[in-house]
Amino acid sequence: MISVVRGMRDLFGAELRAWQRAEEVFRSMSAAFGYEELRTPILEHTELFARGVGQETDIVGKEMYSFEDRGGDSVTLRPEMTAAIVRAAIEHNFVRHSPTTRIWYAGPQFRYERPQKGRYRQFHQYGAECLGSPHPEADVEIISLAYNVLATIGVTKFTLEVNTLGNATSRAAYREALVTYLRANVERLTEDSRRRLERNPLRVLDSKDEQDKPVIAEAPKLSDYLDVESRQHFEAVRLMLDVAGIPYVHNPLLVRGLDYYCHTVFEFTTTELGTQNAIGGGGRYDPLFSLIGGADTPAVGFSLGIERVMMLLEQERGEWGAEKGIDVFAISIGDAARLPLRLISLRLRRQGYSVVEDLQRRSVKAQMRDADKHGARYTITMGDDELAQGTVVVKNMATGEQQSVADTNVEQFLTQL
Ligand code: AMP
């Protein structure tokens, strides 16, 4: 048997229906904040991610699905969306046309990671990017959109952690102090952290390893290196979060690995999903446009891992929630009624009702059971008598009440119910 590719999953049934309800929230909440959807191709030039995510990151260093296409170009299945959104924004001049450009997206991402619960090689993200504003209110708008999406989907057991990385000057000063300190303590660090120290020193602060923790605890604090501008930006973000009633904790060790982040970074974490504790995150990435070859454009965004949000939802609820349902199941008794009933079904579908009919030519009893399984709200039944009289029997599945209705009147009858 040929099975699904390792680290990838089929989505169906109750779980998929729960995803679709979440997707409705992505769409409607994004629209409520004035964000428009952008769909980019799943394949991009490898160079886009090399530049836009960074050579020194795990993603680019060892997790990308890259290959040469038949024309000899190196292309990559996207491992994240921000670089692609920025590429498209530059290519189509979005920000020149609209000084604040608000974009959302949802779709599959690909990373060759070691699969485990909550970590897949094809996973999905919903996210948004606010392009063109350097001001803290853009950071807060982005956090607020993410927070409201999570709240509306119905998850509650998560924490919003925020931190600031300051502006480029502050970060450079801090980086120097941190590297000096870490080099002096290199013997006490894990292999992983030693490697990070050389390539991306701020990432050492991210280490969850017990061996690294005492070293990190004594490390210089970024907050001591923030200049006035950096402090004011962060203060404004915190004040506006308070005003918006969005609860958060300040985690001074949160750095979110990528070099191009500046000022606000944030993460939504949960203790409910074991080791995969991040359900989403984001931050301000003012330097990214110029890295990808565009004009300097301040920007801030987030992405949520849809699998993890859905796992949390299922865990909190103990189930996927709402069962499937249709409006009508059409039951025919005998051969003669089958075609006329099918015509009524077609008419109802054009009116917007969902209608399912039996395709197995089964007994009435079996069709009734099937109607139940489909979660039909009504059945309409037609046999030889009804056919002769030009009627159908409409049954309300919840109450068991049934009524004979002229076949030309079914739509009207249903709207009254
Ligand atoms: P990142 O772009 O790494 O910050 O990821 C953003 C979010 O995507 C994370 O917080 C996770 O919820 C989700 N995510 C990242 N990698 C994976 C993966 N391999 N499998 C499932 N979800 C993931």
Coordinates of all heavy atoms in Angstrom, one line a residue, residues 232-302:
Q232 N 10.5 54.1 24.1 CA 9.2 54.7 23.9 C 8.3 53.9 23.1 O 7.1 53.8 23.3 CB 9.4 56.1 23.3 CG 9.8 57.1 24.3 CD 10.1 58.5 23.6 OE1 10.3 58.6 22.4 NE2 10.2 59.5 24.4
H233 N 8.9 53.3 22.0 CA 8.1 52.4 21.2 C 7.4 51.3 22.0 O 6.2 51.0 21.9 CB 8.9 51.8 20.1 CG 8.2 51.1 19.0 ND1 7.9 51.7 17.8 CD2 7.6 49.9 19.0 CE1 7.2 50.8 17.0 NE2 7.0 49.7 17.7
F234 N 8.2 50.6 22.8 CA 7.7 49.5 23.6 C 6.7 49.9 24.6 O 5.7 49.3 24.8 CB 8.9 48.8 24.2 CG 8.5 47.4 24.8 CD1 7.7 46.5 24.1 CD2 8.9 47.0 26.1 CE1 7.4 45.3 24.6 CE2 8.6 45.8 26.6 CZ 7.8 44.9 25.9
E235 N 7.0 51.1 25.3 CA 6.0 51.6 26.3 C 4.7 51.8 25.6 O 3.6 51.5 26.2 CB 6.5 52.9 26.9 CG 7.6 52.7 27.9 CD 7.2 51.7 29.0 OE1 6.1 51.8 29.5 OE2 8.0 50.8 29.3
A236 N 4.7 52.4 24.4 CA 3.4 52.7 23.7 C 2.7 51.4 23.4 O 1.5 51.3 23.5 CB 3.7 53.5 22.4
V237 N 3.4 50.4 22.9 CA 2.8 49.1 22.6 C 2.1 48.6 23.9 O 0.9 48.2 23.8 CB 3.8 48.1 22.1 CG1 3.2 46.7 22.1 CG2 4.3 48.5 20.7
R238 N 2.8 48.6 25.0 CA 2.3 48.0 26.2 C 1.0 48.8 26.7 O 0.0 48.2 27.1 CB 3.3 48.0 27.3 CG 4.5 47.1 27.0 CD 5.5 47.0 28.0 NE 5.0 46.4 29.2 CZ 5.8 46.0 30.2 NH1 7.1 46.1 30.1 NH2 5.3 45.4 31.3
L239 N 1.1 50.1 26.6 CA 0.0 50.9 27.0 C -1.2 50.6 26.2 O -2.4 50.4 26.7 CB 0.4 52.4 26.9 CG -0.7 53.4 27.3 CD1 -0.9 53.4 28.8 CD2 -0.4 54.8 26.8
M240 N -1.0 50.5 24.8 CA -2.2 50.3 24.0 C -2.8 48.9 24.1 O -4.0 48.7 24.0 CB -1.8 50.5 22.5 CG -1.7 52.0 22.2 SD -1.4 52.3 20.4 CE 0.4 52.2 20.4
L241 N -1.9 47.9 24.5 CA -2.4 46.6 24.8 C -3.3 46.6 26.0 O -4.4 46.0 26.1 CB -1.3 45.6 25.0 CG -0.5 45.1 23.7 CD1 0.7 44.2 24.1 CD2 -1.4 44.4 22.7
D242 N -2.8 47.4 27.0 CA -3.6 47.5 28.2 C -5.0 48.1 27.9 O -6.0 47.6 28.4 CB -2.9 48.4 29.3 CG -1.7 47.6 29.9 OD1 -1.6 46.4 29.8 OD2 -0.7 48.3 30.3
V243 N -4.9 49.2 27.2 CA -6.2 49.9 26.8 C -7.1 49.0 26.1 O -8.3 49.0 26.3 CB -5.9 51.2 26.0 CG1 -7.2 51.8 25.5 CG2 -5.1 52.2 26.9
A244 N -6.6 48.1 25.2 CA -7.4 47.2 24.4 C -7.9 46.0 25.2 O -8.6 45.2 24.7 CB -6.6 46.8 23.2
G245 N -7.4 45.9 26.4 CA -7.8 44.8 27.3 C -7.2 43.5 26.8 O -7.8 42.4 27.0
I246 N -6.1 43.5 26.2 CA -5.4 42.3 25.8 C -4.4 41.9 26.8 O -3.4 42.6 27.0 CB -4.8 42.5 24.4 CG1 -5.9 42.8 23.3 CG2 -4.0 41.2 24.0 CD1 -5.3 43.1 22.0
P247 N -4.6 40.8 27.5 CA -3.6 40.4 28.5 C -2.3 39.9 27.9 O -2.3 39.2 26.9 CB -4.3 39.3 29.3 CG -5.5 38.8 28.4 CD -5.7 39.9 27.4
Y248 N -1.2 40.2 28.5 CA 0.1 39.7 28.0 C 1.1 39.7 29.2 O 0.9 40.2 30.3 CB 0.7 40.7 27.0 CG 1.0 42.1 27.5 CD1 2.3 42.3 28.0 CD2 0.1 43.1 27.6 CE1 2.6 43.6 28.6 CE2 0.3 44.3 28.1 CZ 1.6 44.5 28.6 OH 1.9 45.7 29.2
V249 N 2.2 38.9 29.0 CA 3.3 39.0 29.9 C 4.5 39.5 29.2 O 4.7 39.2 28.0 CB 3.6 37.7 30.6 CG1 2.4 37.2 31.5 CG2 3.9 36.6 29.6
H250 N 5.4 40.2 29.8 CA 6.6 40.7 29.2 C 7.7 39.6 29.5 O 8.0 39.3 30.6 CB 7.1 42.0 29.9 CG 8.4 42.5 29.3 ND1 9.2 43.4 30.0 CD2 9.1 42.1 28.2 CE1 10.3 43.6 29.3 NE2 10.3 42.8 28.2
N251 N 8.2 39.0 28.4 CA 9.2 37.9 28.6 C 10.5 38.5 28.0 O 10.7 38.6 26.8 CB 8.8 36.7 27.8 CG 9.9 35.7 27.8 OD1 11.0 35.9 28.3 ND2 9.7 34.5 27.1
P252 N 11.4 39.0 28.8 CA 12.6 39.7 28.4 C 13.6 38.8 27.6 O 14.5 39.3 26.9 CB 13.3 40.2 29.6 CG 12.6 39.6 30.8 CD 11.3 38.9 30.3
L253 N 13.3 37.4 27.6 CA 14.2 36.5 26.9 C 13.6 36.2 25.5 O 14.3 35.4 24.7 CB 14.4 35.2 27.7 CG 15.2 35.4 29.0 CD1 15.3 34.1 29.7 CD2 16.6 36.0 28.7
L254 N 12.4 36.6 25.2 CA 11.8 36.3 23.9 C 12.6 37.0 22.8 O 12.7 38.2 22.8 CB 10.4 36.7 23.9 CG 9.6 36.4 22.6 CD1 9.4 34.9 22.4 CD2 8.2 37.0 22.7
V255 N 13.1 36.3 21.8 CA 13.9 36.9 20.7 C 13.4 36.6 19.3 O 13.7 37.2 18.4 CB 15.4 36.7 20.8 CG1 16.0 37.3 22.1 CG2 15.7 35.2 20.8
R256 N 12.8 35.4 19.2 CA 12.3 35.0 17.9 C 13.4 35.0 16.8 O 13.2 35.7 15.7 CB 11.1 35.8 17.4 CG 9.8 35.4 18.2 CD 8.6 35.9 17.6 NE 8.4 35.5 16.2 CZ 7.9 34.3 15.8 NH1 7.6 33.4 16.7 NH2 7.7 34.1 14.6
G257 N 14.5 34.3 17.1 CA 15.5 34.0 16.2 C 15.9 34.9 15.0 O 17.1 35.1 14.8
L258 N 15.0 35.3 14.2 CA 15.5 35.9 12.9 C 16.1 37.3 13.1 O 15.7 38.1 13.9 CB 14.3 36.1 11.9 CG 13.6 34.7 11.7 CD1 12.4 34.9 10.7 CD2 14.5 33.6 11.3
D259 N 17.2 37.5 12.3 CA 18.0 38.7 12.5 C 17.2 40.0 12.1 O 17.6 41.1 12.7 CB 19.2 38.6 11.5 CG 20.4 38.2 12.3 OD1 20.3 38.0 13.5 OD2 21.5 38.0 11.7
Y260 N 16.2 39.9 11.3 CA 15.6 41.1 10.8 C 14.5 41.7 11.7 O 14.0 42.7 11.5 CB 15.1 41.0 9.4 CG 14.1 39.9 9.1 CD1 12.8 39.9 9.7 CD2 14.4 38.8 8.3 CE1 11.9 38.9 9.5 CE2 13.5 37.8 8.1 CZ 12.3 37.9 8.7 OH 11.4 36.9 8.4
Y261 N 14.2 40.9 12.8 CA 13.2 41.5 13.7 C 13.7 42.7 14.5 O 14.9 42.8 14.8 CB 12.8 40.4 14.7 CG 11.7 39.5 14.2 CD1 11.9 38.1 14.0 CD2 10.4 40.0 13.8 CE1 11.0 37.3 13.6 CE2 9.5 39.1 13.3 CZ 9.7 37.8 13.2 OH 8.8 36.9 12.7
C262 N 12.9 43.6 14.7 CA 13.3 44.8 15.5 C 12.1 45.2 16.4 O 11.0 44.8 16.1 CB 13.7 45.9 14.6 SG 12.5 46.5 13.5
H263 N 12.3 46.0 17.3 CA 11.2 46.5 18.2 C 10.4 45.3 18.7 O 10.9 44.4 19.2 CB 10.4 47.6 17.6 CG 11.1 48.9 17.4 ND1 11.5 49.7 18.5 CD2 11.5 49.5 16.3 CE1 12.1 50.7 18.0 NE2 12.2 50.7 16.7
T264 N 9.1 45.4 18.5 CA 8.2 44.4 19.1 C 8.3 43.0 18.5 O 8.3 42.8 17.3 CB 6.7 44.9 18.9 OG1 6.7 46.3 19.1 CG2 5.8 44.1 19.8
V265 N 8.5 42.0 19.4 CA 8.3 40.6 19.1 C 7.3 40.0 20.0 O 7.2 40.4 21.2 CB 9.6 39.8 19.1 CG1 10.5 40.2 17.9 CG2 10.3 40.0 20.4
F266 N 6.6 39.0 19.6 CA 5.6 38.4 20.5 C 5.3 36.9 20.1 O 5.6 36.5 18.9 CB 4.3 39.2 20.4 CG 3.6 39.3 19.1 CD1 2.7 38.4 18.6 CD2 4.0 40.3 18.2 CE1 2.1 38.5 17.3 CE2 3.5 40.4 16.9 CZ 2.5 39.5 16.5
E267 N 4.8 36.2 21.0 CA 4.5 34.8 20.8 C 3.3 34.4 21.6 O 3.1 34.9 22.7 CB 5.7 33.9 21.2 CG 5.9 32.7 20.4 CD 7.3 32.2 20.3 OE1 7.8 31.7 21.2 OE2 7.9 32.4 19.2
F268 N 2.4 33.6 21.0 CA 1.3 33.0 21.7 C 1.7 31.6 22.1 O 2.0 30.8 21.2 CB 0.1 32.9 20.9 CG -0.5 34.3 20.5 CD1 -0.2 34.9 19.3 CD2 -1.3 35.0 21.4 CE1 -0.7 36.2 19.0 CE2 -1.8 36.2 21.1 CZ -1.5 36.8 19.9
T269 N 1.8 31.3 23.4 CA 2.3 30.0 23.9 C 1.2 29.4 24.7 O 0.3 30.0 25.2 CB 3.6 30.2 24.7 OG1 3.3 31.0 25.8 CG2 4.7 30.7 24.0
T270 N 1.4 28.0 24.8 CA 0.4 27.3 25.6 C 1.2 26.2 26.4 O 2.2 25.7 25.9 CB -0.7 26.7 24.7 OG1 -1.6 25.9 25.6 CG2 -0.1 25.7 23.7
T271 N 0.6 25.8 27.5 CA 1.3 24.7 28.2 C 0.5 23.4 28.0 O 0.8 22.4 28.6 CB 1.3 25.0 29.8 OG1 -0.1 25.3 30.1 CG2 2.2 26.1 30.1
E272 N -0.5 23.5 27.1 CA -1.4 22.3 26.9 C -0.9 21.3 25.8 O -1.4 20.3 25.7 CB -2.8 22.8 26.4 CG -3.4 23.8 27.4 CD -3.8 23.2 28.7 OE1 -4.5 22.1 28.6 OE2 -3.4 23.7 29.7
L273 N 0.1 21.7 25.1 CA 0.5 20.8 23.9 C 1.8 20.2 24.0 O 2.5 19.9 23.0 CB 0.4 21.6 22.6 CG -1.0 22.2 22.2 CD1 -0.9 23.0 20.9 CD2 -2.1 21.1 22.1
G274 N 2.3 20.1 25.2 CA 3.7 19.4 25.4 C 4.8 20.3 24.9 O 4.7 21.5 25.1
T275 N 5.7 19.7 24.2 CA 6.9 20.4 23.8 C 6.6 21.5 22.7 O 7.3 22.5 22.6 CB 8.0 19.5 23.3 OG1 7.4 18.6 22.4 CG2 8.6 18.7 24.4
Q276 N 5.6 21.2 21.9 CA 5.3 22.2 20.8 C 4.4 23.3 21.4 O 3.2 23.4 21.2 CB 4.6 21.5 19.7 CG 5.3 20.3 19.1 CD 6.7 20.6 18.8 OE1 7.0 21.7 18.2 NE2 7.6 19.8 19.2
N277 N 5.1 24.2 22.2 CA 4.3 25.1 23.0 C 4.0 26.5 22.3 O 3.2 27.3 22.8 CB 5.0 25.4 24.3 CG 6.3 26.2 24.1 OD1 6.8 26.2 23.0 ND2 6.8 26.8 25.2
A278 N 4.5 26.7 21.1 CA 4.2 27.9 20.4 C 3.0 27.7 19.4 O 3.1 26.9 18.5 CB 5.4 28.4 19.6
I279 N 1.9 28.5 19.6 CA 0.9 28.4 18.6 C 0.9 29.5 17.6 O 0.3 29.4 16.6 CB -0.5 28.3 19.3 CG1 -0.8 29.5 20.2 CG2 -0.7 27.0 20.1 CD1 -2.2 29.5 20.7
G280 N 1.8 30.5 17.8 CA 1.9 31.5 16.8 C 2.8 32.6 17.3 O 3.2 32.6 18.5
G281 N 3.2 33.5 16.4 CA 4.1 34.5 16.9 C 4.3 35.5 15.7 O 3.8 35.3 14.6
G282 N 5.0 36.6 16.1 CA 5.3 37.5 15.0 C 6.2 38.7 15.6 O 6.7 38.6 16.7
G283 N 6.2 39.7 14.8 CA 7.0 40.9 15.3 C 7.2 41.9 14.1 O 6.6 41.7 13.0
R284 N 7.9 42.9 14.5 CA 8.2 44.0 13.5 C 9.5 43.6 12.8 O 10.4 43.1 13.3 CB 8.4 45.3 14.3 CG 8.7 46.5 13.5 CD 8.5 47.8 14.2 NE 7.1 48.2 14.2 CZ 6.5 48.7 13.1 NH1 7.1 48.9 11.9 NH2 5.2 49.0 13.2
Y285 N 9.4 43.8 11.5 CA 10.6 43.4 10.6 C 10.9 44.5 9.6 O 11.1 44.3 8.4 CB 10.3 42.1 10.0 CG 9.0 42.0 9.2 CD1 9.0 42.3 7.8 CD2 7.9 41.6 9.8 CE1 7.8 42.3 7.1 CE2 6.7 41.5 9.0 CZ 6.7 41.8 7.7 OH 5.5 41.8 7.0
D286 N 11.2 45.7 10.1 CA 11.5 46.9 9.2 C 12.6 46.6 8.2 O 12.6 47.1 7.1 CB 11.8 48.1 10.1 CG 10.6 48.6 10.9 OD1 9.5 48.0 10.7 OD2 10.8 49.4 11.8
P287 N 13.7 45.9 8.6 CA 14.8 45.7 7.6 C 14.5 44.8 6.5 O 15.3 44.7 5.5 CB 15.9 45.2 8.5 CG 15.6 45.4 9.9 CD 14.1 45.3 9.9
L288 N 13.4 44.0 6.5 CA 13.2 42.9 5.5 C 13.1 43.4 4.1 O 13.6 42.8 3.2 CB 12.1 42.0 5.9 CG 11.8 40.8 5.1 CD1 13.1 39.9 5.0 CD2 10.6 40.0 5.5
F289 N 12.3 44.5 3.9 CA 12.1 44.9 2.5 C 13.4 45.2 1.8 O 13.6 44.8 0.6 CB 11.2 46.2 2.5 CG 9.7 45.9 2.4 CD1 9.0 45.4 3.5 CD2 9.0 46.1 1.2 CE1 7.7 45.1 3.4 CE2 7.7 45.8 1.1 CZ 7.0 45.3 2.2
S290 N 14.3 45.8 2.5 CA 15.6 46.2 1.7 C 16.4 44.9 1.6 O 17.1 44.8 0.6 CB 16.3 47.3 2.5 OG 16.5 46.9 3.8
L291 N 16.3 43.9 2.5 CA 17.0 42.7 2.3 C 16.6 41.9 1.0 O 17.3 41.2 0.3 CB 16.8 41.7 3.5 CG 17.6 42.0 4.7 CD1 17.1 41.0 5.8 CD2 19.1 41.8 4.5
I292 N 15.3 42.1 0.7 CA 14.7 41.4 -0.5 C 14.8 42.2 -1.7 O 14.5 41.8 -2.8 CB 13.3 40.9 -0.1 CG1 13.3 39.9 1.0 CG2 12.5 40.4 -1.3 CD1 12.0 39.3 1.4
G293 N 15.3 43.5 -1.6 CA 15.5 44.3 -2.7 C 14.5 45.4 -3.0 O 14.4 45.9 -4.1
G294 N 13.7 45.7 -2.0 CA 12.7 46.8 -2.1 C 13.1 48.0 -1.4 O 14.2 48.0 -0.8
A295 N 12.3 49.1 -1.6 CA 12.6 50.3 -0.8 C 12.3 50.1 0.6 O 11.4 49.3 1.0 CB 11.7 51.4 -1.4
D296 N 13.0 50.7 1.5 CA 12.8 50.6 3.0 C 11.3 50.8 3.3 O 10.7 51.8 3.0 CB 13.5 51.7 3.7 CG 14.8 51.2 4.3 OD1 14.9 50.0 4.4 OD2 15.6 52.0 4.8
T297 N 10.7 49.8 4.0 CA 9.3 49.8 4.3 C 9.1 49.2 5.7 O 9.4 48.0 5.8 CB 8.5 49.0 3.3 OG1 8.8 49.5 2.0 CG2 7.0 49.2 3.5
P298 N 8.7 50.0 6.6 CA 8.4 49.4 8.0 C 7.3 48.4 7.9 O 6.3 48.6 7.1 CB 8.1 50.6 8.8 CG 7.6 51.6 7.9 CD 8.3 51.4 6.6
A299 N 7.3 47.3 8.7 CA 6.3 46.3 8.6 C 6.3 45.5 9.8 O 7.3 45.3 10.5 CB 6.5 45.4 7.4
V300 N 5.1 44.9 10.1 CA 4.9 44.1 11.3 C 3.9 43.0 10.9 O 2.9 43.3 10.1 CB 4.5 44.9 12.5 CG1 3.3 45.8 12.2 CG2 4.2 44.0 13.7
G301 N 4.0 41.8 11.5 CA 3.1 40.7 11.1 C 3.1 39.6 12.1 O 3.9 39.6 13.0
F302 N 2.2 38.6 11.9 CA 2.2 37.4 12.7 C 1.8 36.2 11.9 O 1.3 36.4 10.8 CB 1.2 37.5 13.9 CG -0.2 37.5 13.4 CD1 -0.9 36.2 13.3 CD2 -0.9 38.6 13.1 CE1 -2.2 36.2 12.8 CE2 -2.3 38.6 12.7 CZ -2.9 37.3 12.5

